């Protein structure tokens, strides 16, 4: 299998989109095949690419903005990969289909590759697979990789924050500071886009955001707060400028190396978590597990003792 994974990597690098799609499926599925494929892709291949996480509440305009950014990047001759991580609709697929239709104008562009990662696995799996999918796209020569995630939970926020630049998309009238802080989005934003700037409440939202960011104290990078109307392609040039500025800032300040190390640390942690979860599933199944559940239920054992026995492994249970 290692040979075919390596062959997929080579074909994907040579511009074979079918091979790239298959390779991404392998990476999403995880396991030995993914390991074999990724072993031939050193982490450093991603160094040439710039990854932008785009996050915010459902309906904020992330997909529309992403689509605009793709168009602007293409105008500049860049090759663009898009990963849409939207686990909120794994069953209906409605939102995914909508995103696909919207991005139709890029569908025939050989220098744009759009991939939805919504349909597979649980969030932990997505957290593991996303940086690896980014690496695959980087290896295939996509210089900009946009990762759209719904910023509603811890894991989604983590996925977005694993990018080189994180864009937080909000709307006019978007809650107060407490709500923003609760969502964990204030801390991770390198650039804020107040999208739907054609709507009422714009000035107040921009003002509140700037005030809250100022409260966060002096930092080497002050996140700009930009106004966009994604449906009208307004403010998107400025947004792309901000992304380039942030990139230049990180490259000059030495922040990039630290950020990428943190990303690798997160990735390793996700991998370890993944394998521990599998181990837990193994421990917590079978007759021995059933027996311990019964013992806790009838009071002859307690949960802590039972858990300790279980995590000491199946070997002892067999004796
Ligand atoms: N009025 C207005 N509507 C927008 C704007 N940007 C996006 N929309 C609309 O908001 C809805 C949600 O957009 P979408 O990009 O799917 O949001 P996502 O869920 O964050 O990806 C769609 O109907 C868009 O057409 C904007 O700047 N102004
Ligand atoms: Mg979307």
């Amino acid at each position: 299998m290692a040979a075919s994974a390596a062959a997929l990597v080579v074909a994907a690098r040579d511009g074979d989109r079918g091979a790239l799609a298959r390779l991404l499926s392998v990476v999403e599925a995880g396991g030995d095949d993914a390991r074999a494929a990724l072993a031939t892709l050193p982490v450093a291949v991603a160094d040439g690419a710039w990854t932008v996480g785009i996050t915010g509440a459902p309906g904020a305009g992330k997909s529309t903005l992403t689509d605009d950014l793709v168009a602007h990047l293409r105008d500049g001759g860049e090759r663009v990969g898009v990963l849409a991580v939207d686990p909120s609709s794994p069953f209906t697929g409605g939102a995914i289909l909508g995103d696909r239709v919207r991005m139709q104008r890029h569908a025939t562009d050989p220098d744009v590759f759009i991939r939805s990662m919504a349909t597979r696995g649980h969030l932990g799996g997505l957290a593991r697979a996303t940086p690896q999918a980014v690496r695959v796209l980087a290896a295939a020569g996509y210089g900009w990789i946009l990762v759209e995630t719904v910023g509603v939970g811890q894991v989604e926020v983590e996925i977005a924050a694993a990018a080189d630049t994180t864009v937080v998309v909000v709307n006019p009238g978007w809650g107060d500071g407490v709500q923003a802080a609760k969502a964990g989005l204030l801390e991770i934003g390198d650039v804020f886009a107040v999208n739907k700037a054609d709507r009422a409440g714009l000035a107040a939202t921009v003002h509140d955001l700037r005030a809250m960011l100022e409260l966060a104290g002096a930092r080497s990078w002050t996140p700009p707060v930009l106004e966009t109307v994604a449906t009208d392609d307004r403010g998107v040039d400025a947004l792309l400028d901000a992304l380039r500025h942030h990139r230049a800032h990180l490259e000059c300040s030495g922040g990039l190396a630290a950020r990428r190390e943190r990303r690798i640390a997160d990735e390793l942690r996700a991998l370890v978590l993944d394998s521990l979860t599998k181990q837990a599933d193994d421990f917590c199944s079978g007759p021995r597990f059933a027996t311990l559940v019964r013992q806790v239920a009838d009071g002859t054992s307690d949960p802590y003792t039972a858990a300790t026995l279980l995590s000491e492994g199946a070997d002892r249970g067999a004796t």
Side-chain angles (χ1 to χ4, degrees), residues 57-65 99 102 148 195-199 228-232:
K62 299 178 297 295
S63 295
T64 317
L65 263 184
D99 287 350
R102 201 173 292 122
E148 177 191 344
N195 187 49
K196 306 196 184 183
D198 51 330
R199 299 230 167 129
T228 59
V229 182
T231 41
D232 214 16

Side-chain angles (χ1 to χ4, degrees), residues 273-297:
L273 209 55
D274 226 33
S275 85
L276 289 178
T277 302
K278 274 194 204 89
Q279 224 179 329
D281 290 344
D282 288 345
F283 289 167
C284 298
S285 63
R288 181 160 180 267
F289 181 61
T291 303
L292 283 165
V293 168
R294 232 169 291 123
Q295 288 176 1
V296 173

Side-chain angles (χ1 to χ4, degrees), residues 49-77:
W50 199 255
T51 308
V52 180
I54 299 167
T55 194
K62 299 178 297 295
S63 295
T64 317
L65 263 184
T66 300
D67 181 64
D68 289 343
L69 283 170
V70 170
H72 283 254
L73 285 164
R74 289 298 300 130
D75 286 346

Side-chain angles (χ1 to χ4, degrees), residues 4-235:
S4 77
L8 282 180
V9 172
V10 171
R13 275 182 166 158
D14 286 346
D16 180 339
R17 293 169 74 88
L20 177 52
R22 283 203 299 286
L23 187 53
L24 287 169
S25 298
V26 166
V27 164
E28 274 182 79
D32 291 344
D33 290 348
R35 211 163 293 143
L38 291 160
T40 66
L41 285 181
V43 168
V45 300
D47 284 357
W50 199 255
T51 308
V52 180
I54 299 167
T55 194
K62 299 178 297 295
S63 295
T64 317
L65 263 184
T66 300
D67 181 64
D68 289 343
L69 283 170
V70 170
H72 283 254
L73 285 164
R74 289 298 300 130
D75 286 346
E78 309 275 3
R79 302 186 75 219
V80 191
V82 177
L83 295 173
V85 186
D86 187 357
S88 62
S89 52
F91 302 115
T92 65
I96 306 149
L97 193 63
D99 287 350
R100 285 230 177 97
V101 169
R102 201 173 292 122
M103 301 217 184
Q104 206 64 46
R105 62 170 161 155
H106 303 302
T108 57
D109 185 338
D111 292 316
V112 177
F113 192 93
I114 298 169
R115 171 78 172 202
S116 171
M117 303 200 29
T119 53
R120 275 169 199 274
H122 53 94
L123 276 173
L126 282 173
R128 170 188 54 70
T130 303
Q132 300 174 349
V134 164
R135 200 168 299 147
V136 166
L137 286 172
Y142 293 91
W144 284 74
I145 297 160
L146 312 181
V147 182
E148 177 191 344
T149 63
V150 184
V152 291
Q154 185 60 34
V155 174
E156 293 96 321
V157 166
E158 274 169 23
I159 291 172
D164 296 317
T165 301
T166 301
V167 178
V168 171
V169 183
V170 301
N171 294 142
W174 181 66
D176 53 21
V178 176
Q179 188 186 330
K182 258 192 197 156
L185 294 176
L186 269 189
E187 294 80 2
I188 64 159
D190 299 305
V191 176
F192 287 81
V194 183
N195 187 49
K196 306 196 184 183
D198 51 330
R199 299 230 167 129
L202 174 67
T205 299
V206 169
H207 175 272
D208 288 353
L209 255 182
R210 290 200 174 124
M212 286 185 282
L213 289 168
E214 231 156 77
L215 276 181
R219 288 179 278 179
S220 65
W221 170 263
T222 305
V225 178
L226 306 170
E227 301 169 11
T228 59
V229 182
T231 41
D232 214 16
D233 196 31
R234 262 162 56 200

